[in-house]
Amino acid sequence: MSEENQLLTRWRQVCAQLDASASQCGRDPASVRLLAVSKQHAAETIRVLARAGQLDFGESYVQEAQQKQVSLNDLTLTWHFIGQIQSNKTRLIAEHFQWVHTVDRLKHAIRLNEQRPAHRGPLQICIQVKLVEEAGKGGIWPEQVADLAKAIQPLSQVTLRGLMCIPPPLSDPAAQLAQFQRMAVLMQELNEQGLSLDTLSMGMSDDYPAAIAAGATLIRIGTAIFGTRKQKHEEQ
Ligand SMILES: *Cc1c(COP(=O)(O)O)cnc(C)c1O
């Protein structure tokens, strides 16, 4: 099989598994959005998937993403920033992405709000939540989310859509499910407090069926679509 066919085959397998996982728990497969995480993969690889109908792409490094966006500017794609936010990059993020999944402090939300070009409409954002302490990873504790969410809500150029997490890898599907269910409960509690969140960004190549079973509305899949990445930068 050509590399291109292998890529399309893996992508179709992920789409089929998404459908199956959703159907198994009585969810409409259309309620789960597939984000193809294309970090470290070339613009031309993205183009192959875009031609097949994949329109949401996730990137973790601003400059790398920008170069690909330039090569692909003839396509209408939705770009999601899923890397850690650095204060000196918020302007580029606000200008070049439609979604940001990794907001974990008010300062960044305020900067994104100020720097979002008005003609692009509000930036769609998620708050990153951590469920266990892990060195080098972003996110705030579940108990801290309500205060941050309420402080973000009045900002007009960002729209708070929901919560995102990158839980530590677990091989037991029941343990994976339990982690993701904490996120679903948290979102429900926030909505009961008057927020209107509709997005749970959770599930990666090794745990997305469990994430879907727990209510994920957006899964972020890299390896299962593109194959393994070479180690580069700080991962995630
Ligand atoms: C790299 C990355 C992914 C994709 O991970 P895979 O295990 O390759 O599917 C998802 N989310 C975030 C935040 C990432 O950095």
Side-chain angles (χ1 to χ4, degrees), residues 37 39 60 82 164 166 204-205 220-224 229 236:
V37 176
K39 62 187 179 204
S60 303
I82 60 170
M164 176 270 203
I166 314 173
M204 306 183 8
S205 292
R220 308 179 311 266
I221 309 298
T223 310
R229 293 179 292 273
Q236 290 161 12

Side-chain angles (χ1 to χ4, degrees), residues 108-220:
H108 289 163
I110 289 173
R111 289 175 70 104
L112 292 168
N113 181 63
E114 285 169 0
Q115 294 166 340
R116 178 68 171 172
H119 71 275
R120 299 214 52 198
L123 185 64
Q124 309 298 301
I125 66 174
C126 293
I127 294 177
Q128 184 177 350
V129 181
K130 61 178 170 185
L131 300 172
V132 296
E133 185 63 64
E134 277 185 286
K137 286 221 183 140
I140 56 173
W141 295 110
E143 314 76 77
Q144 301 172 312
V145 175
D147 283 347
L148 178 57
K150 287 171 192 164
I152 289 174
Q153 225 187 359
L155 305 176
S156 64
Q157 290 307 306
V158 299
T159 301
L160 181 61
R161 295 294 298 272
L163 307 177
M164 176 270 203
C165 70
I166 314 173
L170 296 173
S171 51
D172 172 21
Q176 293 173 352
L177 183 68
Q179 296 198 116
F180 292 131
Q181 281 171 336
R182 291 180 60 196
M183 294 288 290
V185 168
L186 180 60
M187 185 162 91
Q188 193 185 338
E189 287 168 358
L190 293 164
N191 282 339
E192 281 162 10
Q193 293 176 45
L195 290 151
S196 41
L197 308 182
D198 63 7
T199 301
L200 277 176
S201 166
M202 59 191 194
M204 306 183 8
S205 292
D206 293 327
D207 56 15
Y208 67 95
I212 291 171
T217 64
L218 195 157
I219 57 172
R220 308 179 311 266

Side-chain angles (χ1 to χ4, degrees), residues 48-97:
V48 171
L49 288 179
R51 228 182 270 133
Q54 174 65 40
L55 300 176
D56 286 276
F57 291 91
E59 291 278 343
S60 303
Y61 307 102
V62 182
Q63 274 98 341
E64 179 191 331
Q66 247 189 299
Q67 287 169 7
K68 296 178 206 178
Q69 290 166 353
V70 170
S71 334
L72 297 167
N73 71 0
D74 55 313
L75 302 176
T76 307
L77 302 176
T78 300
W79 293 95
H80 300 246
F81 186 76
I82 60 170
Q84 278 196 29
I85 300 171
Q86 292 167 280
S87 300
N88 62 355
K89 298 277 170 60
T90 53
R91 179 175 301 281
L92 286 173
I93 295 171
E95 289 173 350
H96 293 280
F97 290 84

